[in-house]
Amino acid sequence: MSYRKTLKLICGFAGGSAVLVLAGVAADSRGYFGEPRGSATSRWPGFTVLQAAQPAWTPASHTPTPTGHSWDSNWDKRDPSALSNGKKKEAVTEDPSSEQDNGKPKATRNILLIRHSQYNLSGNSDKERILTPLGREQAELTGKRLAALGLKYDVLIHSSMARATETAHIISKHLPGPGVELLSCDLLREGAPIEPVPPVTHWKPDAVQYHEDGARIEAAFRRYIHRADPKQKEDSYEIIVCHANVIRYFVCRALQFPPEGWLRMGLNNGSITWLTIRPSGRVALRTLGDAGFMPPDKLTRT
C-alpha cells in the first residue's frame, strides 16, 4: 500500500483534518513527497513547525545564569569577621586564632514560627477576638505535633494579641520537660509589613500603617531572627507564636528574598514554619506552613 493511501486511511479513521496536517508535515519533512528534507514549510506555508524549548543557559556550562543579589553573609550584622569594624584591639593575646574562635558562634538556632489558630472574626476589639472551638482544637493538634517531634524547647515567645496568646498557652501544655518559659512581645503583633508586589485589591492599608507596622515588624525580625550568640554552646529550639503577615515577612527577609513578595505565600491556622540558622549565618527553610498533622476538616486560613 502506498504512503498516500495509508495517509488517507488514517485520516478516514480519525475523522478530522488535524491528523492530516500533522501527518503531512511529518511525511514532507522526511522526503516522502519527493522534496528535500526540511522543506516542509514550502508546502505548508500556513503552519509553524514547533520546536522544543531550548534551555536559557549555554550548553558549555549547563548552568542557569544567577539573578538578583549574591548572599549577604553578614545579613544579621553578627558575622565575627565584621564585628571589629577594623578597630585596633587594645590588647593582643598570645594566640590570636584562639581569640577569634572564641568569638565565633558554634550553635545552630531552630526557630519554629507558629501561626495562631482560628479566631472569632466578628469581635470588635482584640480582647473579643478569641479562639473559636475549632481554633482551640487546632492549637491542641499543633501542641501535640510539637511534642511528637521530641525536641527540647528553650522558650515560647508569643504575640501579645489575644488569639496568639491563647494559642501559645494551649500549645505550652503539650511541650515536654520542665515548664517552657512563655514570653509576650508587642513587636510580634499582626500588621502590614510592606506594600506587597503584585498589589491586591481586597486589602489596602494606607501608607501610614505600612510606615508604622513595617518598622515594628522589622524590629521584631532583627530581635528574633539571627545567628546564635558565641556564648551559646548547644543548639536551640525556640517557638514563636504570631501571625501570618509577620511569619511570611520573616521568611522572605531570612532567605534574602524580596520582602515585598510576602503576600504570595499562604499559611493555615496552627501551621508550623521552621527556620534553621547556622553559626555561619546560612539560613534554611525546613518547612513552610506545615499543617499535614491536622485532619482535612480542621484546616482553615482565617
Side-chain angles (χ1 to χ4, degrees), residues 4-230:
R4 290 178 183 274
K5 291 182 180 181
T6 304
L7 182 60
K8 290 179 180 179
L9 182 60
I10 293 173
C11 293
F13 284 126
S17 59
V19 176
L20 175 61
V21 172
L22 294 175
V25 171
D28 204 13
S29 65
R30 296 180 181 179
Y32 286 124
F33 294 154
E35 295 179 356
R37 298 182 181 182
S39 61
T41 53
S42 64
R43 181 174 287 273
W44 308 94
F47 300 95
T48 301
V49 179
L50 299 179
Q51 296 182 353
Q54 299 299 313
W57 54 89
T58 61
S61 64
H62 297 286
T63 304
T65 303
T67 58
H69 301 289
S70 59
W71 178 261
D72 177 12
S73 60
N74 193 31
W75 58 274
D76 59 351
K77 308 306 177 189
R78 295 169 185 251
D79 185 349
S81 62
L83 288 178
S84 62
N85 293 322
K87 295 181 181 179
K88 185 177 180 180
K89 297 182 180 180
E90 296 180 358
V92 179
T93 61
E94 296 181 359
D95 188 357
S97 61
S98 175
E99 182 179 354
Q100 187 176 12
D101 288 341
N102 291 335
K104 288 183 177 181
K106 300 174 181 62
T108 294
R109 294 185 67 213
N110 293 274
I111 303 172
L112 290 86
L113 302 163
I114 314 297
R115 189 192 175 193
H116 61 79
S117 301
Q118 186 192 62
Y119 68 101
N120 175 28
L121 290 170
S122 60
N124 294 321
S125 65
D126 178 58
K127 291 182 179 180
E128 296 177 355
R129 293 170 189 154
I130 59 176
L131 300 186
T132 64
L134 175 57
R136 289 190 287 274
E137 283 188 67
Q138 292 170 338
E140 297 280 357
L141 290 168
T142 303
K144 292 177 181 178
R145 172 58 178 168
L146 291 171
L149 293 176
L151 304 173
K152 180 184 176 182
Y153 299 106
D154 298 271
V155 67
L156 195 165
I157 307 165
H158 61 85
S159 157
S160 58
M161 298 186 82
R163 55 189 183 270
T165 301
E166 189 176 359
T167 301
H169 280 273
I170 294 175
I171 288 175
S172 68
K173 297 186 302 182
H174 296 275
L175 301 182
V180 176
E181 183 181 12
L182 268 73
L183 300 174
S184 178
C185 180
D186 288 336
L187 294 178
L188 294 168
R189 296 172 71 88
E190 183 65 301
I194 187 174
E195 190 170 357
V197 177
V200 293
T201 57
H202 63 278
W203 185 71
K204 287 190 174 182
D206 56 33
V208 174
Q209 185 176 354
Y210 281 124
H211 179 71
E212 295 178 351
D213 290 352
R216 172 177 55 78
I217 296 172
E218 173 63 21
F221 173 81
R222 297 186 185 191
R223 174 177 291 188
Y224 296 115
I225 312 298
H226 54 77
R227 76 192 77 191
D229 187 272

